Amino acid sequence: MEFLKNNFARVYYDQQLDTLFLEYTNKVPNDAQFIAVNQAVLDAFLKLKTQKFVADIRKMGIISLGAQDWVVKNLLPGMFKHLNGKKLYHAQFLDASEIHRKYRQETSRINQPK
């Protein structure tokens, strides 16, 4: 069952796995679009009885702290409220090379002589 599909994201439910999926297929153009996609996730989650959510953000691109804050203040609390005390099972697919690159840059900056 598909809840959203556009040029950069897809939100769908896999009935066999009883899991809601968010898959970024390309870079998100802007914060408003990022928030709209995550609002679609929340709307879908509220319609379903699942406790499982998987996000594939490997192709998402860079998202501002403000847009990320929207997820922390709206998406996650909305999911928890809907679950009414049940556990949320959440998995995320990340671009490992991006994480490691940022880690290496930060480590290099910290370890440079002053």
Side-chain angles (χ1 to χ4, degrees):
M1 175 186 316
E2 203 158 63
F3 290 94
L4 176 131
K5 185 174 183 178
N6 58 29
N7 295 336
F8 55 89
R10 183 174 171 225
V11 177
Y12 62 96
Y13 175 69
D14 184 312
Q15 190 170 10
Q16 263 188 307
L17 297 174
D18 184 30
T19 304
L20 181 64
F21 286 87
L22 165 57
E23 176 186 9
Y24 286 99
T25 56
N26 212 333
K27 290 182 179 180
V28 180
N30 56 52
D31 287 356
Q33 292 294 323
F34 174 80
I35 291 169
V37 167
N38 282 280
Q39 183 64 58
V41 168
L42 181 57
D43 293 345
F45 195 79
L46 297 178
K47 292 177 184 174
L48 300 168
K49 294 184 181 181
T50 187
Q51 293 173 246
K52 301 173 193 169
F53 174 56
V54 174
D56 181 347
I57 63 169
R58 292 176 288 187
K59 296 180 182 178
M60 178 177 70
I62 304 297
I63 302 300
S64 76
L65 292 176
Q68 292 175 46
D69 193 46
W70 186 94
V71 169
V72 172
K73 290 182 177 175
N74 296 280
L75 177 64
L76 297 175
M79 289 177 143
F80 290 129
K81 183 178 178 183
H82 175 69
L83 289 172
N84 197 25
K86 296 179 196 165
K87 288 183 180 183
L88 172 64
Y89 299 95
H90 176 240
Q92 218 161 285
F93 298 117
L94 307 168
D95 180 348
S97 64
E98 178 70 15
I99 291 167
H100 292 170
R101 183 180 62 77
K102 287 180 182 178
Y103 174 76
R104 282 192 303 270
Q105 285 175 338
E106 185 62 20
T107 303
S108 295
R109 185 185 66 77
I110 291 169
N111 292 328
Q112 286 185 2
K114 297 190 185 212

